[in-house]
């Protein structure tokens, strides 16, 4: 291969820039030109290709977001836009494409692979919701940001002896809620992968107060319901509690990536280039037991569900099961 391209698609995630940097450096190491496709699949269709240089990425390792920008482009699911993308790739003499994003982004990479164009995915999403890999770029940073905010909220909750319900991101996945909730010592964690009983949640916080706690924390994954709705339902039962709700929202997607995100992003980026050079396509890079692994995009997208850290979720229940 003489010329490859990289794009970022869907929601931004801390560590995307680190992956782009590694792709460029590894490409240069192999004597290739590396092009950035700006604005995701929209830019791919419109031909927004720009040759990347070391200058473009030299200060980006520590920065969140994506230097290539991102744009939602659901139209790419239509064959006519896929053909336009192929035309642009051939026009710019691109030999292979690396796509950084979530499952929707992988759908696009798969479509190109089926049309005969080499494409490889790198999981970049704070949601950690890609089946197969245990880890996606941006997840660790999002948990770290969420935990920092929850710790601050806990301070004011304790000062006023309040119950706080904190809504975290994750779309239809509860991973951020589980990890941040366990790390913060939450009284309850509510996730879309597991049902909940409101009365049981109330009794759990009441149990904490009886045991000597001066405040309560409930971590709510956004895929369950919005925090205002949850607080309304919760307070109809726990009328004696002073309850506040807050949604952390997009602060979880920004900021400098953690060391873990930077390292894994660079491992995945460099390995994706190597796989393209070796003729592989229709796969994505991931992590299993702290090691790089490859997964088939077709098999991944066929899976209807993904596993969560059930041990951590159960740990939270065990640690807060006082006198229920």
């Amino acid at each position: 291969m003489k010329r490859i391209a990289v794009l970022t698609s869907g929601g931004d995630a801390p560590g995307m820039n680190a992956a782009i940097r590694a792709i460029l450096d590894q490409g240069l190491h192999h004597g290739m030109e590396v092009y950035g496709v700006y604005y995701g699949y929209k830019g791919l269709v419109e031909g927004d290709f720009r040759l990347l240089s070391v200058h473009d990425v030299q200060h980006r390792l520590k920065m969140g977001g994506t230097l290539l920008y991102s744009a939602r482009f659901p139209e790419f699911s239509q064959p006519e836009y896929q053909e336009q993308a192929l035309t642009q790739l051939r026009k710019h003499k691109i030999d292979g494409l690396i796509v950084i994003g979530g499952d929707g982004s992988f759908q696009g990479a798969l479509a190109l692979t089926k049309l005969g164009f080499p494409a490889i995915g790198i999981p970049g999403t704070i949601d950690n919701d890609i089946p197969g890999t245990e880890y996606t770029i941006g997840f660790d940073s999002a948990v770290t940001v969420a935990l920092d905010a929850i710790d601050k909220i806990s301070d004011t909750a304790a000062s006023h002896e309040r119950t706080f319900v904190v809504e975290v991101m994750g779309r239809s996945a509860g991973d951020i809620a589980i990890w941040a909730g366990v790390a913060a010592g939450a009284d309850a964690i509510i996730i879309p992968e597991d049902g909940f009983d409101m009365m049981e949640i109330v009794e759990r916080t009441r149990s904490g107060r009886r045991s000597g706690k001066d405040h309560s924390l409930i971590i709510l994954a956004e895929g369950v319901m919005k925090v205002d709705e949850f607080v309304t339902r919760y307070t109809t039962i726990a009328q004696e509690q002073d309850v506040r709700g807050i949604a952390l929202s997009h602060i979880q997607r920004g900021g400098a990536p953690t060391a873990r995100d930077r390292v894994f992003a660079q491992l995945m980026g460099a390995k994706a280039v190597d796989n393209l050079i070796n003729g592989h396509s229709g796969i994505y890079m991931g992590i299993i037991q702290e090691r790089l692994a490859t997964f088939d995009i077709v098999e991944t997208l066929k899976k209807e569900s993904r596993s969560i850290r059930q041990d951590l979720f159960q740990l939270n229940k065990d640690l807060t099961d006082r006198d229920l």
Side-chain angles (χ1 to χ4, degrees), residues 67-97:
L67 68 93
L68 298 179
Y69 302 101
S70 187
R72 304 288 184 183
F73 194 66
E75 294 90 342
F76 197 74
S77 62
Q78 302 173 25
E80 59 184 285
Y81 289 101
Q82 296 167 14
E83 290 293 342
Q84 290 180 35
L86 276 179
T87 299
Q88 293 290 355
L89 288 163
R90 290 165 182 156
K91 175 182 176 182
H92 290 85
K93 299 179 181 179
I94 304 298
D95 301 312
L97 176 69

Side-chain angles (χ1 to χ4, degrees), residues 33 43 53 63 69 73 91 105 112 143 184 195 200 210 229 266-267 276 287 295 310 316:
E33 290 184 336
S53 68
M63 296 177 64
Y69 302 101
F73 194 66
K91 175 182 176 182
S105 304
L112 292 173
V143 171
E200 191 269 338
R210 288 193 295 268
E229 179 186 351
Q266 291 180 89
L267 282 171
L276 277 178
I287 300 293
F295 303 86
Q310 190 65 45
N316 173 257

Side-chain angles (χ1 to χ4, degrees), residues 215-229:
H215 70 288
S216 304
L217 280 176
I218 299 171
I219 308 302
L220 172 69
E222 65 177 353
V224 178
M225 67 179 71
K226 290 301 180 183
V227 66
D228 291 344
E229 179 186 351

